[in-house]
Amino acid sequence: SKEYGALTVGVRFRAEVEKVALVPPTVFVPAPKVASQVIALTPRPSPWDVGDEKVFSALVKAAFGQRRKALRNALRPLGISPDLLSRAFMEAEIDPTRRGETLSLAEFARLSHILSRASTML
């Protein structure tokens, strides 16, 4: 959905997110057309091994940078060879025709870990 994006993945990678309170539009001037949500973020160590966090961040940003593109096309700007990217998708068991918004945090982490490992071998 439009609500799931790079910011969501990044926050969930770093913290537990808890909804604390719903704030009605009537408490704001002027009143927006939507309700607001107060959340609590509790920092925690990540349960996912993403390898190089810079690779993870670039991967997530690229995947959401062009939402309408398949992953294999959205990740092209990263400069990863198509062959390496194909092998990484296969090893991560991710269909390269999926869009970034369909990947879970665990799938992003798995793909990032594989790409990080491969980049250190180059």
Side-chain angles (χ1 to χ4, degrees), residues 1-55:
S1 72
K2 290 180 182 179
E3 292 83 27
Y4 183 67
L7 180 61
T8 304
V9 173
V11 168
R12 288 184 182 165
F13 174 68
R14 296 266 181 221
E16 290 291 332
V17 180
E18 179 186 355
K19 293 179 182 178
V20 176
L22 191 63
V23 182
T26 56
V27 302
F28 298 100
V29 176
K33 295 181 182 180
V34 297
S36 297
Q37 183 77 49
V38 176
I39 61 171
L41 301 176
T42 306
R44 62 166 167 75
S46 175
W48 298 280
D49 179 7
V50 298
D52 183 341
E53 288 189 24
K54 289 180 184 179
V55 171

Side-chain angles (χ1 to χ4, degrees), residues 2 5 12 15 24 35-36 40 42 44 48-49 55-56 70 74-75 83-85 109-110 113 115 118 122:
K2 290 180 182 179
R12 288 184 182 165
S36 297
T42 306
R44 62 166 167 75
W48 298 280
D49 179 7
V55 171
F56 176 74
L75 299 182
D83 184 50
L84 174 57
L85 201 51
R110 191 166 60 239
H113 179 79
L115 290 171
L122 299 176

Side-chain angles (χ1 to χ4, degrees), residues 55 58-59 62-63 66 71-86 115 118-119 122:
V55 171
L59 176 68
Q66 298 182 31
L71 278 170
R72 70 172 160 230
N73 296 326
L75 299 182
R76 277 191 187 148
L78 296 178
I80 302 168
S81 77
D83 184 50
L84 174 57
L85 201 51
S86 291
L115 290 171
S119 69
L122 299 176

